[in-house]
Amino acid sequence: DAKTTQPTSMDCAEGRAANLPCNHSTISGNEYVYWYRQIHSQGPQYIIHGLKNNETNEMASLIITEDRKSSTLILPHATLRDTAVYYCIVRVAQGGSEKLVFGKGTKLTVNP
Amino acid sequence: DAMVIQNPRYQVTQFGKPVTLSCSQTLNHNVMYWYQQKSSQAPKLLFHYYDKDFNNEADTPDNFQSRRPNTSFCFLDIRSPGLGDAAMYLCATSSPRGGWDSEQFFGPGTRLTVL
């Protein structure tokens, strides 16, 4: 089973920041938090991941609480193309290869 | 560009007629995965190969098999498709040798219809 809980859906105005929360209260000390998104009828796309520290890349920022029990994905200036299902995933190590267990995700709709 | 390719993008088969979906990658990644995604659901891992080692998920039906003849190619065989096997099938790759926290790269998926 997925180890994360996310809101089912969120709306965001184009050009504004989209803040997507995720709870992972049972995360282990060596498990990473990953974010992927899936635009309709496409394969999932990697966004960002982190362990303890906040992370930023060209797509997004990831804020992880100090106790690591929750995190927030931030899309700083959402565009219509960011409309997608966003999955927060705690990576389960499996014999040297990673195993992603997807939860239900958050459907983000960016409105004009 | 290096990528994960899935063919065909759309596949129609008949109930009970064996079908094979293919995946190829130019990333030279040593791990390849197959996920099943039914309508309005999240992707679910069926199995994966770590190099030549096959790793099946406990709840993957025996109806689903996989082959990996070389690093670049991986096949998903459905021996006797049922109506409940209609889904999007996603192939992904990763390279743990690139780091313990390496990401997975997904192909565009093959949408399977069973008539």
Side-chain angles (χ1 to χ4, degrees), chain A residues 30 32 34 36 38 40-46 49 87 91 93-105, chain B residues 9 31 33 35 37 41-43 45 48 50 55 57 88 90 94 96 100-109 111:
Chain A
N30 61 349
Y32 288 79
Y34 282 74
Y36 283 76
Q38 189 172 25
H40 183 62
S41 294
Q42 298 183 20
Q45 177 191 23
Y46 166 81
H49 73 280
Y87 295 102
R91 196 197 75 174
Q94 183 178 354
S97 60
E98 61 181 50
K99 175 178 176 176
L100 298 179
V101 179
F102 287 80
K104 296 183 185 301
Chain B
R9 293 293 311 276
V31 188
Y33 308 78
Y35 290 83
Q37 185 174 26
Q41 296 184 20
L45 183 65
H48 75 277
Y50 190 107
N55 297 271
E57 292 300 300
M88 174 80 86
L90 296 159
S94 71
W100 182 245
D101 58 339
S102 57
E103 69 199 73
Q104 287 188 18
F105 293 81
F106 284 81
R111 184 167 296 280

Short mmCIF file of all heavy atoms in Angstrom, two decimals, chain A residues 30 32 34 36 38 40-46 49 87 91 93-105, chain B residues 9 31 33 35 37 41-43 45 48 50 55 57 88 90 94 96 100-109 111:
data_model
loop_
_atom_site.label_atom_id
_atom_site.label_comp_id
_atom_site.label_asym_id
_atom_site.label_seq_id
_atom_site.Cartn_x
_atom_site.Cartn_y
_atom_site.Cartn_z
N ASN A 30 15.57 6.33 6.04
CA ASN A 30 16.35 6.27 4.79
C ASN A 30 15.47 6.27 3.56
O ASN A 30 15.93 5.97 2.46
CB ASN A 30 17.23 5.02 4.80
CG ASN A 30 16.40 3.75 4.89
OD1 ASN A 30 15.21 3.80 5.14
ND2 ASN A 30 17.03 2.62 4.67
N TYR A 32 13.25 8.16 0.70
CA TYR A 32 13.15 9.43 0.01
C TYR A 32 11.69 9.74 -0.31
O TYR A 32 10.87 8.84 -0.49
CB TYR A 32 13.93 9.41 -1.30
CG TYR A 32 15.42 9.43 -1.15
CD1 TYR A 32 16.14 8.29 -0.82
CD2 TYR A 32 16.14 10.61 -1.35
CE1 TYR A 32 17.51 8.32 -0.69
CE2 TYR A 32 17.52 10.65 -1.24
CZ TYR A 32 18.20 9.50 -0.91
OH TYR A 32 19.56 9.54 -0.78
N TYR A 34 9.50 11.27 -3.29
CA TYR A 34 9.54 11.58 -4.72
C TYR A 34 8.21 12.20 -5.14
O TYR A 34 7.16 11.88 -4.60
CB TYR A 34 9.72 10.29 -5.54
CG TYR A 34 11.12 9.76 -5.58
CD1 TYR A 34 11.68 9.12 -4.49
CD2 TYR A 34 11.89 9.89 -6.73
CE1 TYR A 34 12.97 8.62 -4.54
CE2 TYR A 34 13.17 9.39 -6.80
CZ TYR A 34 13.71 8.76 -5.69
OH TYR A 34 14.98 8.27 -5.74
N TYR A 36 6.11 12.74 -8.78
CA TYR A 36 5.94 12.54 -10.22
C TYR A 36 4.61 13.17 -10.60
O TYR A 36 3.73 13.35 -9.78
CB TYR A 36 5.87 11.05 -10.57
CG TYR A 36 7.20 10.33 -10.57
CD1 TYR A 36 7.81 9.98 -9.37
CD2 TYR A 36 7.81 9.98 -11.76
CE1 TYR A 36 9.03 9.31 -9.38
CE2 TYR A 36 9.03 9.31 -11.78
CZ TYR A 36 9.63 8.98 -10.58
OH TYR A 36 10.84 8.32 -10.58
N GLN A 38 1.55 13.09 -13.91
CA GLN A 38 1.07 12.39 -15.08
C GLN A 38 0.03 13.25 -15.79
O GLN A 38 -1.07 13.45 -15.26
CB GLN A 38 0.49 11.02 -14.71
CG GLN A 38 0.18 10.16 -15.92
CD GLN A 38 -0.21 8.75 -15.55
OE1 GLN A 38 -0.69 8.50 -14.45
NE2 GLN A 38 -0.01 7.81 -16.47
N HIS A 40 -2.55 13.82 -18.79
CA HIS A 40 -3.53 12.88 -19.33
C HIS A 40 -2.97 12.07 -20.50
O HIS A 40 -2.43 12.61 -21.45
CB HIS A 40 -4.77 13.65 -19.78
CG HIS A 40 -5.87 12.76 -20.28
ND1 HIS A 40 -6.47 11.81 -19.47
CD2 HIS A 40 -6.44 12.65 -21.49
CE1 HIS A 40 -7.39 11.18 -20.17
NE2 HIS A 40 -7.39 11.66 -21.39
N SER A 41 -3.10 10.72 -20.37
CA SER A 41 -2.73 9.78 -21.42
C SER A 41 -1.23 9.75 -21.72
O SER A 41 -0.82 9.30 -22.79
CB SER A 41 -3.49 10.07 -22.71
OG SER A 41 -4.86 9.83 -22.52
N GLN A 42 -0.42 10.23 -20.79
CA GLN A 42 1.03 10.13 -20.94
C GLN A 42 1.61 9.31 -19.79
O GLN A 42 0.93 9.05 -18.80
CB GLN A 42 1.67 11.51 -20.97
CG GLN A 42 1.23 12.38 -22.14
CD GLN A 42 1.94 13.72 -22.16
OE1 GLN A 42 3.00 13.89 -21.57
NE2 GLN A 42 1.35 14.69 -22.84
N GLY A 43 2.88 8.93 -19.91
CA GLY A 43 3.55 8.25 -18.81
C GLY A 43 3.91 9.24 -17.71
O GLY A 43 4.04 10.44 -17.96
N PRO A 44 4.05 8.77 -16.49
CA PRO A 44 4.45 9.67 -15.41
C PRO A 44 5.80 10.32 -15.69
O PRO A 44 6.66 9.74 -16.35
CB PRO A 44 4.54 8.73 -14.19
CG PRO A 44 3.61 7.60 -14.51
CD PRO A 44 3.75 7.43 -16.00
N GLN A 45 5.95 11.52 -15.18
CA GLN A 45 7.16 12.31 -15.37
C GLN A 45 7.76 12.66 -14.02
O GLN A 45 7.04 13.16 -13.14
CB GLN A 45 6.82 13.58 -16.15
CG GLN A 45 7.99 14.53 -16.35
CD GLN A 45 7.55 15.89 -16.88
OE1 GLN A 45 6.40 16.30 -16.73
NE2 GLN A 45 8.48 16.60 -17.51
N TYR A 46 9.01 12.42 -13.86
CA TYR A 46 9.71 12.76 -12.61
C TYR A 46 9.75 14.27 -12.45
O TYR A 46 9.99 15.01 -13.41
CB TYR A 46 11.12 12.20 -12.65
CG TYR A 46 12.06 12.76 -11.60
CD1 TYR A 46 12.04 12.27 -10.30
CD2 TYR A 46 12.95 13.78 -11.91
CE1 TYR A 46 12.90 12.78 -9.34
CE2 TYR A 46 13.80 14.29 -10.97
CZ TYR A 46 13.79 13.78 -9.68
OH TYR A 46 14.63 14.30 -8.73
N HIS A 49 12.87 15.06 -5.99
CA HIS A 49 12.85 14.20 -4.82
C HIS A 49 13.76 14.77 -3.74
O HIS A 49 14.61 15.63 -4.02
CB HIS A 49 13.27 12.76 -5.17
CG HIS A 49 14.73 12.58 -5.45
ND1 HIS A 49 15.29 12.90 -6.68
CD2 HIS A 49 15.73 12.12 -4.68
CE1 HIS A 49 16.59 12.62 -6.65
NE2 HIS A 49 16.90 12.15 -5.45
N TYR A 87 1.68 12.84 -8.09
CA TYR A 87 1.85 11.73 -7.15
C TYR A 87 3.02 12.01 -6.21
O TYR A 87 4.14 12.30 -6.66
CB TYR A 87 2.15 10.43 -7.90
CG TYR A 87 1.02 9.92 -8.77
CD1 TYR A 87 1.04 10.10 -10.14
CD2 TYR A 87 -0.06 9.24 -8.21
CE1 TYR A 87 0.03 9.61 -10.94
CE2 TYR A 87 -1.08 8.75 -9.00
CZ TYR A 87 -1.03 8.95 -10.36
OH TYR A 87 -2.05 8.46 -11.15
N ARG A 91 9.77 6.24 -1.49
CA ARG A 91 10.43 5.17 -2.21
C ARG A 91 10.79 4.05 -1.29
O ARG A 91 11.45 4.25 -0.27
CB ARG A 91 11.68 5.67 -2.91
CG ARG A 91 12.18 4.71 -3.97
CD ARG A 91 13.60 5.00 -4.34
NE ARG A 91 14.49 4.53 -3.29
CZ ARG A 91 15.82 4.54 -3.38
NH1 ARG A 91 16.38 5.03 -4.45
NH2 ARG A 91 16.56 4.11 -2.40
N ALA A 93 12.87 0.79 -0.80
CA ALA A 93 14.05 0.11 -1.34
C ALA A 93 13.75 -1.38 -1.51
O ALA A 93 13.11 -1.99 -0.67
CB ALA A 93 15.23 0.30 -0.38
N GLN A 94 14.20 -1.93 -2.64
CA GLN A 94 13.96 -3.35 -2.90
C GLN A 94 15.19 -3.95 -3.55
O GLN A 94 15.33 -3.94 -4.77
CB GLN A 94 12.74 -3.52 -3.80
CG GLN A 94 12.39 -4.98 -4.05
CD GLN A 94 11.15 -5.15 -4.91
OE1 GLN A 94 10.48 -4.18 -5.23
NE2 GLN A 94 10.84 -6.35 -5.31
N GLY A 95 16.07 -4.43 -2.74
CA GLY A 95 17.20 -5.19 -3.25
C GLY A 95 18.09 -4.43 -4.20
O GLY A 95 18.64 -5.00 -5.14
N GLY A 96 18.24 -3.16 -4.00
CA GLY A 96 19.14 -2.39 -4.85
C GLY A 96 18.43 -1.65 -5.96
O GLY A 96 19.02 -0.80 -6.61
N SER A 97 17.18 -1.97 -6.22
CA SER A 97 16.42 -1.20 -7.21
C SER A 97 15.24 -0.55 -6.50
O SER A 97 14.70 -1.10 -5.56
CB SER A 97 15.93 -2.10 -8.34
OG SER A 97 15.09 -3.11 -7.84
N GLU A 98 14.88 0.60 -6.95
CA GLU A 98 13.82 1.31 -6.26
C GLU A 98 12.46 0.77 -6.68
O GLU A 98 12.27 0.30 -7.78
CB GLU A 98 13.88 2.80 -6.56
CG GLU A 98 13.71 3.14 -8.05
CD GLU A 98 13.81 4.62 -8.30
OE1 GLU A 98 14.77 5.23 -7.83
OE2 GLU A 98 12.93 5.16 -8.96
N LYS A 99 11.53 0.83 -5.79
CA LYS A 99 10.16 0.41 -6.06
C LYS A 99 9.26 1.58 -5.75
O LYS A 99 9.28 2.11 -4.65
CB LYS A 99 9.80 -0.79 -5.20
CG LYS A 99 8.36 -1.24 -5.31
CD LYS A 99 8.12 -2.47 -4.45
CE LYS A 99 6.66 -2.87 -4.46
NZ LYS A 99 6.45 -4.12 -3.71
N LEU A 100 8.50 2.02 -6.72
CA LEU A 100 7.57 3.12 -6.52
C LEU A 100 6.18 2.57 -6.29
O LEU A 100 5.67 1.83 -7.11
CB LEU A 100 7.56 4.05 -7.74
CG LEU A 100 8.87 4.74 -8.09
CD1 LEU A 100 8.69 5.59 -9.35
CD2 LEU A 100 9.36 5.61 -6.95
N VAL A 101 5.58 2.92 -5.18
CA VAL A 101 4.20 2.55 -4.90
C VAL A 101 3.38 3.83 -5.00
O VAL A 101 3.49 4.72 -4.16
CB VAL A 101 4.06 1.91 -3.50
CG1 VAL A 101 2.60 1.55 -3.24
CG2 VAL A 101 4.94 0.67 -3.39
N PHE A 102 2.58 3.91 -6.04
CA PHE A 102 1.79 5.11 -6.30
C PHE A 102 0.53 5.11 -5.45
O PHE A 102 -0.16 4.09 -5.34
CB PHE A 102 1.38 5.17 -7.77
CG PHE A 102 2.49 5.50 -8.72
CD1 PHE A 102 3.39 4.53 -9.13
CD2 PHE A 102 2.65 6.79 -9.22
CE1 PHE A 102 4.42 4.83 -10.02
CE2 PHE A 102 3.67 7.10 -10.10
CZ PHE A 102 4.56 6.12 -10.50
N GLY A 103 0.23 6.25 -4.86
CA GLY A 103 -1.06 6.46 -4.21
C GLY A 103 -2.04 7.03 -5.22
O GLY A 103 -1.82 6.96 -6.43
N LYS A 104 -3.10 7.60 -4.72
CA LYS A 104 -4.16 8.10 -5.61
C LYS A 104 -3.78 9.43 -6.27
O LYS A 104 -4.32 9.80 -7.30
CB LYS A 104 -5.47 8.24 -4.85
CG LYS A 104 -6.00 6.90 -4.33
CD LYS A 104 -7.34 7.09 -3.64
CE LYS A 104 -7.83 5.80 -3.01
NZ LYS A 104 -7.99 4.73 -3.99
N GLY A 105 -2.87 10.18 -5.66
CA GLY A 105 -2.43 11.43 -6.25
C GLY A 105 -3.42 12.56 -6.10
O GLY A 105 -4.54 12.38 -5.62
N ARG B 9 1.49 2.05 -29.43
CA ARG B 9 0.86 2.93 -28.45
C ARG B 9 -0.55 2.45 -28.13
O ARG B 9 -1.04 2.65 -27.01
CB ARG B 9 0.79 4.35 -29.00
CG ARG B 9 2.15 5.02 -29.16
CD ARG B 9 2.83 5.27 -27.81
NE ARG B 9 1.94 5.92 -26.87
CZ ARG B 9 1.73 7.21 -26.80
NH1 ARG B 9 2.34 8.02 -27.66
NH2 ARG B 9 0.92 7.72 -25.89
N VAL B 31 17.80 -1.42 -14.95
CA VAL B 31 16.53 -1.85 -14.36
C VAL B 31 15.39 -1.43 -15.29
O VAL B 31 15.35 -0.29 -15.76
CB VAL B 31 16.31 -1.25 -12.96
CG1 VAL B 31 15.08 -1.88 -12.31
CG2 VAL B 31 17.53 -1.45 -12.08
N TYR B 33 11.01 -1.80 -15.66
CA TYR B 33 9.79 -2.07 -14.91
C TYR B 33 8.59 -2.12 -15.86
O TYR B 33 8.56 -1.43 -16.86
CB TYR B 33 9.51 -0.94 -13.90
CG TYR B 33 10.64 -0.56 -12.99
CD1 TYR B 33 11.69 0.25 -13.43
CD2 TYR B 33 10.64 -0.96 -11.66
CE1 TYR B 33 12.71 0.62 -12.58
CE2 TYR B 33 11.66 -0.58 -10.80
CZ TYR B 33 12.69 0.21 -11.26
OH TYR B 33 13.69 0.59 -10.41
N TYR B 35 4.42 -1.50 -15.36
CA TYR B 35 3.31 -1.09 -14.52
C TYR B 35 2.01 -1.27 -15.30
O TYR B 35 1.97 -1.11 -16.52
CB TYR B 35 3.42 0.39 -14.14
CG TYR B 35 4.54 0.75 -13.19
CD1 TYR B 35 5.83 0.97 -13.65
CD2 TYR B 35 4.29 0.90 -11.82
CE1 TYR B 35 6.85 1.32 -12.78
CE2 TYR B 35 5.30 1.26 -10.95
CZ TYR B 35 6.58 1.47 -11.43
OH TYR B 35 7.58 1.83 -10.57
N GLN B 37 -1.85 0.34 -15.39
CA GLN B 37 -2.67 1.45 -14.91
C GLN B 37 -4.06 1.33 -15.51
O GLN B 37 -4.26 1.58 -16.70
CB GLN B 37 -2.05 2.79 -15.26
CG GLN B 37 -2.81 3.96 -14.66
CD GLN B 37 -2.12 5.30 -14.88
OE1 GLN B 37 -1.36 5.46 -15.84
NE2 GLN B 37 -2.36 6.26 -14.01
N GLN B 41 -7.11 5.04 -12.15
CA GLN B 41 -6.35 4.50 -11.02
C GLN B 41 -4.87 4.86 -11.17
O GLN B 41 -4.42 5.30 -12.22
CB GLN B 41 -6.50 2.97 -10.94
CG GLN B 41 -7.91 2.51 -10.65
CD GLN B 41 -7.99 1.00 -10.49
OE1 GLN B 41 -7.00 0.33 -10.24
NE2 GLN B 41 -9.19 0.46 -10.65
N ALA B 42 -4.13 4.66 -10.10
CA ALA B 42 -2.70 4.92 -10.11
C ALA B 42 -1.96 3.74 -10.76
O ALA B 42 -2.47 2.61 -10.77
CB ALA B 42 -2.19 5.14 -8.69
N PRO B 43 -0.77 3.96 -11.28
CA PRO B 43 0.02 2.84 -11.81
C PRO B 43 0.35 1.84 -10.71
O PRO B 43 0.62 2.21 -9.56
CB PRO B 43 1.30 3.52 -12.31
CG PRO B 43 0.91 4.94 -12.54
CD PRO B 43 -0.11 5.26 -11.51
N LEU B 45 2.79 -1.59 -9.97
CA LEU B 45 3.93 -2.36 -10.44
C LEU B 45 3.56 -3.83 -10.61
O LEU B 45 2.99 -4.45 -9.72
CB LEU B 45 5.10 -2.22 -9.46
CG LEU B 45 6.41 -2.91 -9.85
CD1 LEU B 45 7.00 -2.28 -11.10
CD2 LEU B 45 7.40 -2.85 -8.70
N HIS B 48 9.68 -6.31 -12.28
CA HIS B 48 10.80 -5.57 -12.84
C HIS B 48 12.00 -6.50 -13.01
O HIS B 48 12.07 -7.57 -12.38
CB HIS B 48 11.17 -4.35 -11.98
CG HIS B 48 11.88 -4.68 -10.70
ND1 HIS B 48 11.24 -5.06 -9.55
CD2 HIS B 48 13.21 -4.66 -10.39
CE1 HIS B 48 12.13 -5.26 -8.59
NE2 HIS B 48 13.32 -5.03 -9.07
N TYR B 50 16.13 -6.49 -12.73
CA TYR B 50 17.38 -5.85 -12.33
C TYR B 50 18.46 -6.60 -13.08
O TYR B 50 18.81 -7.71 -12.72
CB TYR B 50 17.59 -5.93 -10.83
CG TYR B 50 18.72 -5.07 -10.33
CD1 TYR B 50 18.46 -3.91 -9.63
CD2 TYR B 50 20.05 -5.42 -10.56
CE1 TYR B 50 19.49 -3.11 -9.15
CE2 TYR B 50 21.08 -4.63 -10.10
CZ TYR B 50 20.80 -3.48 -9.40
OH TYR B 50 21.82 -2.69 -8.95
N ASN B 55 12.03 -9.95 -11.03
CA ASN B 55 11.42 -9.75 -9.71
C ASN B 55 9.92 -9.55 -9.89
O ASN B 55 9.48 -8.51 -10.39
CB ASN B 55 12.02 -8.53 -9.02
CG ASN B 55 13.50 -8.70 -8.76
OD1 ASN B 55 13.91 -9.20 -7.73
ND2 ASN B 55 14.32 -8.27 -9.71
N GLU B 57 6.03 -9.12 -8.58
CA GLU B 57 5.26 -8.68 -7.43
C GLU B 57 4.33 -9.82 -6.99
O GLU B 57 3.84 -10.60 -7.81
CB GLU B 57 4.44 -7.44 -7.77
CG GLU B 57 5.29 -6.21 -8.03
CD GLU B 57 6.14 -5.83 -6.84
OE1 GLU B 57 5.59 -5.55 -5.76
OE2 GLU B 57 7.38 -5.82 -7.00
N MET B 88 -3.76 0.75 -19.39
CA MET B 88 -2.55 1.32 -19.93
C MET B 88 -1.38 0.56 -19.30
O MET B 88 -1.37 0.36 -18.08
CB MET B 88 -2.44 2.80 -19.57
CG MET B 88 -1.12 3.44 -19.98
SD MET B 88 -1.09 3.87 -21.72
CE MET B 88 -1.85 5.50 -21.63
N LEU B 90 2.60 0.60 -18.70
CA LEU B 90 3.70 1.56 -18.69
C LEU B 90 5.02 0.83 -18.44
O LEU B 90 5.13 0.01 -17.53
CB LEU B 90 3.50 2.60 -17.59
CG LEU B 90 2.29 3.51 -17.74
CD1 LEU B 90 1.90 4.11 -16.41
CD2 LEU B 90 2.59 4.60 -18.75
N SER B 94 15.37 2.56 -14.78
CA SER B 94 16.17 3.33 -13.83
C SER B 94 17.56 2.72 -13.77
O SER B 94 17.80 1.61 -14.27
CB SER B 94 15.55 3.35 -12.43
OG SER B 94 15.66 2.08 -11.81
N PRO B 96 20.12 2.34 -10.79
CA PRO B 96 20.62 2.53 -9.43
C PRO B 96 22.12 2.71 -9.36
O PRO B 96 22.64 3.30 -8.42
CB PRO B 96 20.21 1.24 -8.73
CG PRO B 96 19.03 0.76 -9.50
CD PRO B 96 19.32 1.13 -10.93
N TRP B 100 21.83 5.82 -5.44
CA TRP B 100 20.81 5.10 -4.70
C TRP B 100 19.45 5.75 -4.87
O TRP B 100 18.43 5.10 -4.81
CB TRP B 100 21.19 5.07 -3.22
CG TRP B 100 20.23 4.32 -2.36
CD1 TRP B 100 19.46 4.83 -1.37
CD2 TRP B 100 19.95 2.93 -2.41
NE1 TRP B 100 18.71 3.83 -0.79
CE2 TRP B 100 18.99 2.67 -1.41
CE3 TRP B 100 20.39 1.87 -3.21
CZ2 TRP B 100 18.49 1.39 -1.18
CZ3 TRP B 100 19.89 0.59 -2.98
CH2 TRP B 100 18.94 0.37 -1.97
N ASP B 101 19.42 7.05 -5.10
CA ASP B 101 18.15 7.75 -5.21
C ASP B 101 17.80 8.10 -6.65
O ASP B 101 17.16 9.10 -6.91
CB ASP B 101 18.20 9.03 -4.36
CG ASP B 101 19.34 9.95 -4.78
OD1 ASP B 101 20.30 9.47 -5.41
OD2 ASP B 101 19.26 11.15 -4.47
N SER B 102 18.23 7.30 -7.60
CA SER B 102 17.97 7.62 -9.00
C SER B 102 16.49 7.53 -9.33
O SER B 102 15.74 6.78 -8.73
CB SER B 102 18.76 6.66 -9.89
OG SER B 102 18.42 5.33 -9.60
N GLU B 103 16.09 8.34 -10.30
CA GLU B 103 14.69 8.43 -10.69
C GLU B 103 14.34 7.34 -11.70
O GLU B 103 15.21 6.71 -12.28
CB GLU B 103 14.42 9.80 -11.31
CG GLU B 103 15.12 9.96 -12.67
CD GLU B 103 15.26 11.38 -13.09
OE1 GLU B 103 16.11 12.08 -12.51
OE2 GLU B 103 14.52 11.77 -14.02
N GLN B 104 13.04 7.17 -11.91
CA GLN B 104 12.57 6.29 -12.97
C GLN B 104 12.12 7.12 -14.16
O GLN B 104 11.51 8.18 -14.01
CB GLN B 104 11.40 5.43 -12.49
CG GLN B 104 11.82 4.33 -11.53
CD GLN B 104 10.70 3.36 -11.21
OE1 GLN B 104 9.70 3.27 -11.90
NE2 GLN B 104 10.89 2.61 -10.13
N PHE B 105 12.42 6.61 -15.35
CA PHE B 105 12.01 7.24 -16.59
C PHE B 105 10.92 6.37 -17.22
O PHE B 105 11.11 5.18 -17.43
CB PHE B 105 13.19 7.36 -17.56
CG PHE B 105 14.25 8.30 -17.10
CD1 PHE B 105 15.21 7.91 -16.17
CD2 PHE B 105 14.30 9.60 -17.58
CE1 PHE B 105 16.20 8.78 -15.73
CE2 PHE B 105 15.28 10.48 -17.16
CZ PHE B 105 16.23 10.08 -16.23
N PHE B 106 9.80 6.99 -17.53
CA PHE B 106 8.66 6.26 -18.05
C PHE B 106 8.51 6.46 -19.55
O PHE B 106 8.78 7.54 -20.08
CB PHE B 106 7.36 6.72 -17.37
CG PHE B 106 7.19 6.19 -15.98
CD1 PHE B 106 7.82 6.79 -14.91
CD2 PHE B 106 6.41 5.07 -15.76
CE1 PHE B 106 7.66 6.30 -13.63
CE2 PHE B 106 6.24 4.56 -14.47
CZ PHE B 106 6.87 5.18 -13.41
N GLY B 107 8.04 5.39 -20.20
CA GLY B 107 7.62 5.52 -21.58
C GLY B 107 6.21 6.09 -21.66
O GLY B 107 5.56 6.31 -20.64
N PRO B 108 5.71 6.30 -22.90
CA PRO B 108 4.39 6.90 -23.07
C PRO B 108 3.24 5.94 -22.79
O PRO B 108 2.10 6.38 -22.64
CB PRO B 108 4.38 7.32 -24.54
CG PRO B 108 5.32 6.37 -25.19
CD PRO B 108 6.39 6.08 -24.18
N GLY B 109 3.55 4.64 -22.70
CA GLY B 109 2.51 3.66 -22.41
C GLY B 109 1.88 3.04 -23.64
O GLY B 109 1.93 3.61 -24.74
N ARG B 111 -1.83 1.46 -24.60
CA ARG B 111 -3.20 1.27 -24.13
C ARG B 111 -3.76 0.00 -24.76
O ARG B 111 -3.87 -0.09 -25.98
CB ARG B 111 -4.07 2.47 -24.49
CG ARG B 111 -5.49 2.35 -23.92
CD ARG B 111 -6.27 3.64 -24.00
NE ARG B 111 -5.68 4.69 -23.20
CZ ARG B 111 -5.83 4.81 -21.89
NH1 ARG B 111 -6.51 3.92 -21.20
NH2 ARG B 111 -5.28 5.83 -21.25
#
